[in-house]
Each structure stands twice: as C-alpha cells, then as structure tokens.
Amino acid sequence: MKPEIEFSNAAQRLRTQPDAPQDPEVMEQVADWLGCQAMLGSEDRGGDTCTWCDGNHALLIARAVNGGRR
C-alpha cells in the first residue's frame, strides 16, 4: 500500500477514536521515534528517513496504527 494511503488511514483512525487504547506496538514505534529525536539536533530532524537509525518512523507508526507491519 502506498505510504500516503497508510498515513491517511492511520490519521483517520486516530481522529475518529482518539480515546481508544492503542496497541503496544504503536506505543513502541512512537517511543522509538522519540528516542531518535532526542539523539538528533534540530537540523537533522525531518525528512522521510531518520538520520539516526535510517528508519521511516512515520511509516512504521502508521502501519502499527493500521494493524501491523506489512
């Protein structure tokens, strides 16, 4: 599935059910992203690929919200 569709689906799920408990994998992915942010300077943040771990945190979080890795 295209990343844009995955992002849209995840955003819709979070907007329509903001108080729903999240799967532990979602929280793990968010924690990984926050951990990398702490290691980066402001000039290194942003973009599709994390300059600390080479992962795409946005895509991994969206996939976790949508129900798992693909």
Side-chain angles (χ1 to χ4, degrees):
M1 184 178 301
K2 289 184 176 182
E4 297 82 8
I5 294 171
E6 294 191 74
F7 296 148
S8 176
N9 290 347
Q12 184 176 7
R13 284 179 200 269
L14 293 174
R15 283 189 197 115
T16 59
Q17 300 174 356
D19 296 328
Q22 292 299 318
D23 186 273
E25 184 181 353
V26 173
M27 302 317 302
E28 179 182 334
Q29 294 297 338
V30 171
D32 287 348
W33 171 71
L34 290 171
C36 285
Q37 293 301 298
M39 303 306 290
L40 299 172
S42 60
E43 67 280 353
D44 295 324
R45 295 181 187 144
D48 290 338
T49 303
C50 176
T51 57
W52 182 258
C53 74
D54 292 326
N56 185 329
H57 293 290
L59 186 57
L60 293 172
I61 292 168
R63 286 179 176 168
V65 169
N66 289 331
R69 296 182 178 150
R70 292 187 174 96

